[in-house]
Amino acid sequence: MKKLIHRGRVVTTGLLAAFLLFVLPLAAQQSTPAGAKRITGKITAQNTGTAIGGATITVKGTRNSVQATENGDFSIMAAQGERLVITNVGYAQKEVTVGSSGVLNVLLSVDFNNMNDVIVVGYGKMKKTDLSSAVETISAEDLTRTVNTTIEDALIGRAANVYVTATSGQPGAGSSVIIRGVSTITGNPQALYVVDGVQIRPDPPAGGTYNQPAGYANQLAGINPDDIESISVLEGPAATSIYGAAGANGVLMITTKHGKAGATRLTAGSLLTLQDHPKFRPVMNLQEYANFTHRLQALGAASNVPAELGDPSILGPGTDWQSALFRRTLLQKHSFGVSGGSDKSTFYVSGDYLSQDGIAVGSGFKRGSVRINLDNQATKWMKFGINMSAFSTHEQVNTTNGNIINLAIAQNPTISVKNPDGSWGGPTQGQAQYALTNPIALANLDNDYNKSLGIIGGVYLDITPIKGLTWHSEANGNYTFTDNYVFNPSYTIGFLVNPNTTGSRTASNNWWASLNTRVQYDFKVKQHAISAMVGHEAQKYAYESLNGAGQNYSTNTVQELSVADPLTQTTTSSRGDGSQESYFARLGYIYANKYILQGVIRRDGSSNFGPDNRYGTFPSVSAAWKISEEPFMKQFSFIDDLKFRAEYGISGNTGNNGSAIYSNLYAVATPWGGGFLPANFPNPDLKWEQDKSTNLGFDLHMLNNRIEVIGDFYKKNISNLILVASGPEYLGGNLSGGYGGLLSWPTENYGGMTNKGFGITVNTVPVTTRDFQWRIGGNFSMDRNKVTRLVAPLLTQYQSWTNNTQAEFLTKVGQPLSMITGYVAQGLFQNYNDIKNHAIQTTSSSGTPQQIIDPLQGSWVGDVKFRDLSGPNGKPDGVIDQNDRTIIGNPWPKFTYNLNTSFSYKGFDLNIFFTGVYGNKLLNQTRYQNEMPLGAGVYSNHYKSVANFAVPSSTNAADALTAVLTNPGYKIPRVVANGDPNGNVRLTQWDVESGSYLKLKNVRLSYRVPGKYLQYAKIFRGITASIQAQNVFTITKYTGFDPEVGMFSYKGVTNIVGMDEGRYPSVRSYSASLNLEF
Amino acid sequence: MLKNIFITGLALGLLVLSGCKKSFLNRPPLSAPTAGTFYQTDADILNGTGPLYNASWDPYNGTAMEAIGDVLGGNSLTDDYNGRGAWLTFSIPATDGSIGGAYSAFWSVIANANVVAYNITNAGGGASKSAKNSGLAECRFMRAAAYYYLALDWGPVPIIYDNTVQLHDSTTHRNNLADVWKFIIIDLSWAKDNLPTATSQAGRVTRWSAEGMLARAYLVRSGLNGTNGQRNQSDLDSAKYWSADVCHNSGLTLLGNYYNLFTSKYFSGTTVPAECLFGLFWVPGGSYFVHNQLQSNLAYDPKITQTGDGWGGSFGASPSLMQYFLDPANSADSIRRKAIMFMPGDYYPDIDVADGGWHVDTTLFNNGKITAPGQSGQGGIDHAFVKKYVIGSPKDNGGLGGQQNENISTYMFRLSDVYLNYADAILGNSASTSDPEALNYFNSVRARAGIAPKTSITYSDIYEEKKIEFAFEGHQFYDWKMWYYFNPTAAMNYFSTQNRGNYNITYNAGHPFITYFGTDNKAIGTVTYNVTPATADLSYPESELLVAPNLTQPPVAFDFSKLPK
């Protein structure tokens, strides 16, 4: 023990020493050139005349640099004739020459579009104006405008052709981020994130009652969005191909904040958010439920109706389970940052604590993170640095993994949340067999959570032996430990007895590390600017997990396996690894600042492929023409900058199954000992996928940069697409085999896909005066996806929580990925002739179908009339069967659009952000289940609309000719006590709704206290207070909780889009925040 | 100068660029072996075929087996949960979950059998030829067993002999039913020649298992396309020959006590009665897919399982099964009755041992007082709940088991089936037989049940005997289908007049009798549903037809020359 403490102390001392090493040079004296004198001055904004605080003033060609005070005053040693470079975020860079006077006042003009920004691209940086590829940038300012738990939340609506959907509103949950259309059929469609060189490809969000992941947060959830300086979204092929195989889905380059030379700056902020509950689903109250149950009983479809339901008229509203589950809760976030440094060393240290109580009982997310970014210019020719972030997250997932939201919608109102004695309310004896459990009790009793601890960071070394030549080496890595705890205790709730305690603990870790070295040489000869880079990178990743599970705990108070019944305990472990080695080169050439040409090539070798197919080469070429630099354009003086871009390149994909080339076996227990079964059909010939993209675009800046227009058109053609080559079941494969006697289909280079679309971004500053500024901007995107080649149509049957598999999603050639399929309902049968003259409604058999008009064995008045669309020969055949199942909804938007506008007046700033999606369809699975009479079981509640179920005038077979529908005009079919002879359960277009929406995503009003008031409290440099509302309103026809229904990965290999089954909703929230700068 | 420095720098860079070792990119899976390195010894081959007895069959061993074999077969009642009432009414939609489960299980068995066979064929040098052949024979036995179910359930189905080769064969169609049976017979014949007569590991199939199955396959095929109730004599002779070989030469015998067949003490782990020719062997301590889930679906009261399951209150003996047992002529058949179903007043000392055994409460059967009602609105239905495979809590069964996990194996094929098939093969196309050999084996099944022997037997005697002997073992529909092959009129008439409604058990001076609910669920009457040639075969799962529309096209002849030699 003593030794441990000692070691801890050593580590602490070591860290402190390292920190001091970086900071100490702060105090070091700077040498002053001969003839230098003190120059003082003030920096003011040209348009408003107000002082600009914090600008950096550097003597050109030296490392002599100072920072202006809050009042814009500065003081620097410089000699006459030297040039001072003044830079400040949001203003155009300016150079002035030191004259004889000791006073130098500088006016800076607003740079509305940061034309001089340097953009982070793959393995390097580039001036924004020198780009020849489609790259979008998202600034820190954009990211912090909305209230975000994770980075992905912050990306919503910020860049064209980046389609972000929060698949679950579970706090901390990862989102689906798709850049330029989905690029895979059975793989991971997520973009690559490069966080200061650390490559992270988060797993796509998983979902579904029978497909729940242990946790919903991904590795990005550990990153504090406040630490981000900028995000570059690499979309064009010339930009992504430097990542070769990893770049196929687009790349998000995330750069964190670094310190700046000058005075040490402290910031501290707090945010408090009140989250509202969602709009509830319209289910029956007690009185309506009692009436409904009595009607079922009369039809022979309900027995054991509780006596207390006897007279509905005297009943109250009963239990409203949704309002019992959803609550108004708080999200709070506190953060601090310290940054500063000298001309040699800079530092940025920050931390945040975020705690979000979920709006549903039993859910929540907490994060604590710290970051240290240090940079040191050790000598004239050597620079090194380190960036490191450590985080801890805690994710409570009772609600999502206990299917609590669906239970709360479907639980009947006769049961109380709690009994008068304080115990949980449960079903009566008569209901016990099919009764649902008490969702609120479950949310409280279960204990299902994940704890993660992670480190992400890297070190680098730059050596510049001669001007323009940089030899850059870096080592990056991330390591995440995750502990998953599941404890579901035994309970007795009313007459519902669950005698089984089940629990498990899983400890897993995964890491990724890379080592890359590159040599970059930039030089300029007359009008020719050349930039060349070659590099090498080696990556390795691995994972391990250890799991123990047990049942029948001797007590519910100790949640450890030590008290589980030893005979029920199982342990298992697994691990795996993979590697990649790459060479890459980039050559850029700019002539006369007009013509830009760039070539990139990368060669990747991956452990995912066999020795013969291991390496793939990914080239790209791009060109740009700054037409505005041409003499003939000078007459159009209102154009500041106009650039046309064209690019072509090939990216790749390794697939996500490193073992597809092997014939894997998996262990299966037998009474004779451990056995092994084949896990998959191997494909030793698997090779690289090729994504060939073309991009045409332009950048236009005009009217003194007050209007910026960026447009891009792209086409991506994917060949040799790696997919799980599924076929008919008789071939014995399964989409997610490798367990339970199921073999996985082979992974093959069989598929093909095209994506095309365009995106346009417009940013304008319509009004700018001394005190008032109005900015408005937005983007518009269209992405079209089409599958061009497949082994066999890929049908994903979704298994809902009621075990229904009617929700089916079809991917076939000529269509976008994952279309919603179902039947077409034409109404309900009104009378005998209506049935007689219509197609036979079911094939409950093979052979020749027969029309049966019968209340028990066939079709009857009040049954759903399905449209006869097709038959075995492609023509309507008078029988409703699988041939009549058709595509009833395209879940992909026709276009998406976002609009952001801000008004600032003196210290006030009002920001309004709209986001919209148009033309997609959503499958409202929750409504489908709860609108079927008897659909979720006899003791379930239903939507209010179910009360309008069809009532035939007779259910006696003898009355077939005369029976009529007594309550026409509704869509709910009749109630059949035994079976569903007409197949009314089949999903139809009635359950598909428009997913278009326009959401006022955020409104924020902030006030920055003017400097003059701060003089009274000298310790503050700035105080900003804000109030904001998020998800203010949504204009939509969708009837579920929230139309923002994303894409999720189902059973590991297929992707389901636009299906809403008890999705954890995103809700309206109100926030207040205070940010202090010292 | 500049150039020189640049070159120096580049060289320096290249120095660091010196790539990784070749092995850096070689990353075989770490958690489990691969086929290329695994099958090296005789023991490895046994470990490779062992799981063919459980995991792949898992989706079948549960609701699918009960739904097809017993509910559709007319031995079991059910409620309408998830639309399963359709199995009573012969109106099963193509979207039914049990259809999907069974279909997927059988094809998984075939795929696993084919891939394991491929792996064994290419096994390393350490494995002996006899071990390899025996392993291959197990694979072919499993493939034949799965095809046996597929053929009887769906009729013509595609013959899959090599999944990898056929994966991209777009010409695959359904094959003629006669070819499917031929394929089954070829597999079983090869299996019988290569399986040992006894195995080192109890429960694995032997030469006798294959011969018994072969006889059964011949017996089924004898009726294929039979006219006027006549079967093919040559196939009947083969069936007779191979059953006789098992009866006379195997040395296997029936377990003395019928009840004990369905207890963990006699049939779990590696304890296997000689009577079990083919079974599924579950592992209570293993993962979900090697658990026997029958009891959780069948037990009528959670107090029986004590693991939170026991959702079988809606299942129960069908009226036809009740009629048999309540018929005074069969009152002696109480050994099997007690093993098949729970009747009022019965006592089971081996269930809930801790509380002194399980007494079946008579009040349970008084209308309106039942604790575990069937679904919705059938007034309060009574029925005799299912006993077979209901064995009680883990504590009652050696401490092993848990929720959806009972400590017992599943019979797929028992020696008594061979006995009855033998009698049937001898009966052949005659109306009745008094052949001593036939009577001997037929009556030995009855003798164990404690009931009187018969002196002359007809086809319907054998059919009835199977109905009772294998009740709730997932057999009945397949036996019916065998009959339907050669006498569709009689078979359809049997189902179409079979009482499939609900009933109440009432007592008259302590003697139970049953009353039926009619179509309105109130009046006393008989509920029947018509079966037609259209509903005699199951429909293909709807999802499969969307992916494989070729299944709706007429079957074609199979080219047997494609089979590997």
Side-chain angles (χ1 to χ4, degrees), chain A residues 34-227:
Chain A
K37 55 183 176 183
R38 183 154 299 277
I39 308 290
T40 56
K42 192 177 178 76
I43 298 175
T44 42
Q46 196 164 27
N47 57 335
T48 63
T50 52
I52 299 171
T56 306
I57 301 100
T58 311
V59 180
K60 196 175 185 181
T62 72
R63 277 179 274 110
N64 182 8
S65 166
V66 297
Q67 203 159 24
T69 66
E70 282 310 303
N71 302 324
D73 298 325
F74 70 93
S75 157
I76 193 166
M77 296 298 284
Q80 190 169 351
E82 281 190 308
R83 287 178 74 78
L84 298 186
V85 180
I86 298 100
T87 56
N88 196 42
V89 175
Y91 292 89
Q93 180 177 315
K94 192 160 187 178
E95 283 187 28
V96 289
T97 310
V98 176
S100 52
S101 164
V103 177
L104 201 58
N105 289 325
V106 183
L107 289 176
L108 290 185
S109 61
V110 175
D111 176 9
F112 292 105
N113 286 297
N114 310 323
M115 288 296 291
N116 288 306
D117 277 6
V118 170
I119 307 261
V120 177
V121 295
Y123 304 99
K125 288 179 181 176
M126 237 173 242
K127 256 176 84 182
K128 191 174 174 183
T129 47
D130 290 347
L131 285 173
S132 54
S133 181
V135 176
E136 295 216 36
T137 50
I138 304 171
S139 68
E141 198 191 353
D142 285 337
L143 293 169
T144 49
R145 240 173 234 151
T146 45
V147 178
N148 309 303
T149 305
T150 65
I151 301 175
E152 296 147 291
D153 296 346
L155 291 174
I156 294 177
R158 292 301 175 196
N161 302 101
V162 179
Y163 183 44
V164 183
T165 44
T167 302
S168 171
Q170 162 78 36
S175 296
S176 149
V177 177
I178 295 169
I179 298 180
R180 294 195 160 187
V182 62
S183 295
T184 180
I185 294 173
T186 60
N188 182 350
Q190 296 274 62
L192 177 75
Y193 292 77
V194 182
V195 182
D196 291 335
V198 177
Q199 297 181 23
I200 296 173
R201 185 187 297 281
D203 286 333
T209 318
Y210 294 96
N211 185 45
Q212 283 159 344
Y216 295 82
N218 59 38
Q219 282 162 299
L220 299 170
I223 296 173
N224 175 4
D226 291 353
D227 285 343

Side-chain angles (χ1 to χ4, degrees), chain B residues 1 88 103 134 162 201 287-288 315 521 528 536:
Chain B
M1 175 62 189
L88 288 169
Y103 187 81
S134 172
D162 184 332
Q201 296 181 333
S287 65
Y288 183 78
F315 290 104
N521 290 329
T528 58

Side-chain angles (χ1 to χ4, degrees), chain B residues 396-435:
Chain B
D396 299 334
N397 293 281
L400 294 171
Q403 190 176 66
Q404 289 175 280
N405 177 9
E406 61 168 330
N407 181 27
I408 192 169
S409 311
T410 304
Y411 293 103
M412 298 293 272
F413 189 47
R414 292 198 275 118
L415 186 61
S416 54
D417 204 355
V418 179
Y419 286 2
L420 295 174
N421 291 336
Y422 185 34
D424 192 5
I426 295 171
L427 170 75
N429 287 319
S430 318
S432 69
T433 183
S434 305
D435 179 278

